[in-house]
Each structure stands twice: as C-alpha cells, then as structure tokens.
Amino acid sequence: MLKNLISFKKIPLSNSLLKNKNENINCYDLKISFDEDTKLVSVVDNVSPEKLFPDDYVYDSSQSITMVNHFKDCAEYLQKRFTPYNTLEIGSNSGIFIRHFNPDTTIAVEPCSNFAEITNDMEYKTYDNFWGKDLSELIRQKHGKMDLIFSANTISHIQGLDECLTSVKKCLNEDGIFVVECPSFLEVLKGNAFDQFYHEHQSYFSMISFRNLLEKNGLKLFDIELVPVHGGTYRFFVCNQDSSIDVNYDNINKWEKEEKQFGVDSYDKLKDRMSIMKQNMVDIKNTLQKIKSENKTVIGYGASAKFIQVSNMCDLNASLIDYVIDTTPDKQNKYTPKSKIPIKKYDEKSLENVDYCFLGAWNFSSEIMEKENKFLRSGGKFITHIPKLRVIEL
Ligand code: SAM
Ligand code: TMP
C-alpha cells in the first residue's frame, strides 16, 4: 500500500533549463510516497522517461573531477575484484565509467542520443534506447550474457523496476555480477537533503527496500559499500538468487540494523524527517531575505538539479540569488526553470566582489572549498543547507 510522504505543487523538470526568461515550461506536481510492502520510497505518477531524458539532456557527469576520479577508481576496483570478460553499462552518459574498459568487450545503453553519440565515437557500441525487456533481449541475442553489469545513478531513475531487474537477470551470466550505485536514502535522510527529491529520481533506495525488490525478481544482494560521492552513495553488489557467491552477511546485517534504527522502514519516523526538511526550506528563504536586505551579493555555486529544486521548493528567485555559476557549457547563458535565476559561466574571476555563495553543488563541497580557498581567505562566505542551514567562513 502506498502512503504519501511529502508533496510539492507545480515543480518544473530539474534539467529543463530556459534559453530565454519568458519561455513557457511545463510544471508537474511532485508526490513522494512510501510503499508499506517493499519499504520503497518513490515518485507517484511520474513524468514520461522521454520527457525526463530528451536527446539534448544536459547532465554530464564528466564535468566534475570528483566523479571522473571516482569512476576511474571504481572501474579499476571492479576489474580487480571480479575480472569480468564482458561488461554492460546501463546509463553510460558521456562514458565516464566505460572509458576504462576494453571497447571490444563492452556494451553501453544510453537513451540520450547526444551522449550515446559520444561513446559510439569512442568505439563503445552504445544503444540509444531505454533499458527494458526488448532492449535486454536484443543485447543478449547479439552479445551474449554478461559477466558484469554496472549502473550508476540510473536504476533509481527507471520507472518499472520489476521489468528493469528481470531484464538485468536475463542478461547476467550464471555467476555474473550486477553492481549498482545510487544515492543512499539513509544518507538523504541524515543530510535532510530534500533537494534530492525530483522527477528524474524515481526511487530512493535504502538497502532494505532495494534488497526486497531484488528478491522479488530472482536476484540477491551479496555485499554493500557506502562511497562518499553525491552526499553518500550505496554500492550494491548483486548476483543471481541461486549463485554460489558468498554473501557478506556481517556487512549487510550491520547496514540493516543502522537503517532500522534510523527508521527508513517506518512511515511514522519518515514523516518526522519530512517535517525537519520542511523547516530547512523555510530557514533557507528567511536567511537569504535577511542577507539581501543588507545589500549583499549572493550567487549560487553549481546549477545542479538539486540547486534548481532548492530554488523552486523554497520559492527563491533572482531577487534573492543574483545568478548561479556553472562549469557546464550547455547550462551557461540559460535560466533556471520557474525560479528564473540566470546561469553564468564559471571562470577564475567569478567570485570577485561576491559576498556569499549558496552551495548548489553541496555534494562536491570538499572539491569546491579547496578550489575556492582564495575566496574564503579574502572574507567570502559559503552558505550550505546540508544538514541544516549554516554559513561557512574562515
Ligand atoms: N551513470 C552516470 C553517472 O553516474 O554519472 C550518469 C547518471 S545520469 C544522472 C542518468 C543517466 O541514465 C542519464 O544519462 C540518462 O539518460 C540515463 N537513463 C535514464 N533512464 C534510463 C533507462 N531507462 N535506461 C538506460 N539509461 C537511462
Ligand atoms: P550534480 O550534483 O547533479 O552532479 O551537479 C553539479 C553541478 O555543479 C554541475 O552542473 C557542475 C557544477 N559544478 C561546478 O560548476 N563547479 C564545480 O566545481 C563542481 C564540482 C560542479
């Protein structure tokens, strides 16, 4: 049974940036629910995948040095631990992970053709379709079953998880490994990161809910790790239900205990966390109003999907955040949808004459603090709302 956790009225798609201020955009209610049976938290009545992931999709993971390094390390680690002969990646984006694999034995799936084109040009056979029953059958017929199937920040974006997971099972060798990385819902709750709720993020996996879904579809969780990207990401290690791979029960039981203590499987406890998040939203707007009333310059740092969610969930606009800077060329000289905050190109001089930077890309805060040390040393301040609103200064 589905129970409503938190809802937002008229939220635009987080990556639907405006080319000009007066452009009309569609907004959609965003309703997040809790499933009493599987314990899964997910979006109800979501927008179609074709609208969420168009052929000019702007999110490019290669823009962050942290993510470039993370996927390099991850690829090397998986190759060493599992020595796969062939590999499939679901949601390969600009090739940040597969670039570390042999193109002759690696297949990619990426529905956004702007990105699929890039990896096809890199000699990785890339199917520009949505992962599901039909595509998985085609891949199995053409390329055989896989030793390793990898998917980062994508399984949580797919509607119809039963079809997604049975399709994975059909493409996996008997002792094949399926590795999934997705933001940990436990860490979302710990960080009060309400801005992780957006239409692209269909599901918010706890270990408990993900394991329930795997078991429902003939798969088994045999290990789990927490890796420090995107505010805390679970790396799930999955195999066939009847595989002979050893299960790391100590580790899995440890996480189950922690998740249960925090209440990820309890509707009432989750509702309490939602109230804290709502207070966080009020605090953000009040603080920005106070700072702007003192005539300070406030800009956003990183026009991430999360920044766009904050701007609309907290009802912000360019009178409270003058503009936001970002390194992604496809985002620059556009506007955030609905909140209409201009997005400007980042350069070394971007923070000159700025008083406050609101950390849109809070999940890269260490990378940013290191890069912007000069700004902090000259009296500049960062504002972050994770896990609660605070000003960072030297
Ligand atoms: N894997 C990269 C990473 O972790 O940085 C990209 C993550 S990005 C947030 C999600 C990617 O999944 C997008 O490139 C999107 O096009 C792709 N995607 C969305 N739905 C998909 C589906 N049904 N099948 C395969 N890929 C999908
Ligand atoms: P993400 O959290 O969805 O990965 O988005 C982070 C955004 O922040 C992305 O658009 C790139 C941008 N960004 C910068 O502009 N400068 C930086 O130093 C970092 C780390 C990210």
Side-chain angles (χ1 to χ4, degrees), residues 5-6 8 32 41-42 153 156-157 182-198 201-207 226-227 229-234 255 258-259 262-264 269-270 272-278 280-281 306 313 362-363 385-388:
L5 260 190
I6 191 166
F8 303 89
I32 311 291
V41 171
S42 61
N153 306 303
S156 53
H157 293 43
C182 282
S184 150
F185 189 53
L186 176 65
E187 299 302 315
V188 170
L189 294 172
K190 283 182 181 172
N192 297 311
F194 62 85
D195 51 359
Q196 291 270 21
F197 290 131
Y198 50 94
H201 284 177
Q202 169 68 29
S203 305
Y204 305 85
F205 295 129
S206 61
M207 188 204 75
L226 181 72
V227 286
V229 289
H230 291 317
T233 288
Y234 272 149
W255 281 107
E258 181 164 351
E259 286 195 344
F262 208 81
V264 300
K269 285 191 185 162
L270 289 178
D272 291 345
R273 302 303 308 180
M274 297 304 123
S275 304
I276 298 173
M277 291 184 186
K278 282 182 186 162
N280 201 349
M281 293 174 211
K306 289 181 268 296
M313 289 170 169
W362 55 262
N363 43 321
H385 62 292
I386 302 295
K388 62 180 185 179

Side-chain angles (χ1 to χ4, degrees), residues 73-195:
D73 293 346
C74 175
E76 286 168 2
Y77 167 61
L78 296 181
Q79 281 161 356
K80 201 167 167 206
R81 181 164 170 185
F82 301 113
T83 56
Y85 167 70
N86 57 1
T87 300
L88 165 71
E89 187 185 4
I90 304 170
S92 50
N93 201 257
S94 50
I96 189 167
F97 174 78
I98 49 166
R99 63 171 60 246
H100 304 290
F101 285 75
N102 179 352
D104 298 335
T105 51
T106 305
I107 308 296
V109 173
E110 174 46 63
C112 300
S113 58
N114 53 337
F115 287 119
E117 220 169 272
I118 295 175
T119 46
N120 269 317
D121 286 348
M122 288 158 62
E123 306 294 323
Y124 293 92
K125 172 67 192 158
T126 308
Y127 290 89
D128 61 352
N129 304 85
F130 290 93
W131 176 253
K133 185 169 176 279
D134 294 345
L135 181 58
S136 65
E137 272 165 18
L138 176 78
I139 289 179
R140 195 185 47 183
Q141 277 163 18
K142 283 204 166 178
H143 307 279
K145 290 190 173 190
M146 298 288 150
D147 287 343
L148 174 66
I149 302 182
F150 180 78
S151 189
N153 306 303
T154 300
I155 302 301
S156 53
H157 293 43
I158 296 182
Q159 299 166 25
L161 282 175
D162 290 336
E163 178 180 335
C164 165
L165 294 174
T166 49
S167 304
V168 165
K169 185 175 165 69
K170 282 192 184 137
C171 273
L172 203 58
N173 265 330
E174 210 174 309
D175 274 326
I177 311 292
F178 175 38
V179 178
V180 176
E181 286 191 1
C182 282
S184 150
F185 189 53
L186 176 65
E187 299 302 315
V188 170
L189 294 172
K190 283 182 181 172
N192 297 311
F194 62 85
D195 51 359

Side-chain angles (χ1 to χ4, degrees), residues 355-369:
D355 300 307
Y356 288 85
C357 276
F358 182 88
L359 256 184
W362 55 262
N363 43 321
F364 298 110
S365 83
S366 317
E367 180 178 335
I368 294 169
M369 293 301 139

Side-chain angles (χ1 to χ4, degrees), residues 97 200 215 300:
F97 174 78
E200 274 178 35
E215 285 173 0

Side-chain angles (χ1 to χ4, degrees), residues 59 63-64 230 301-306 325-328 331 361 363-364 367-368 371:
Y59 178 76
Q63 288 302 316
S64 153
H230 291 317
Y301 198 110
S304 59
K306 289 181 268 296
I325 46 171
D326 200 287
T327 51
T328 317
K331 295 188 180 184
N363 43 321
F364 298 110
E367 180 178 335
I368 294 169
K371 193 158 83 180

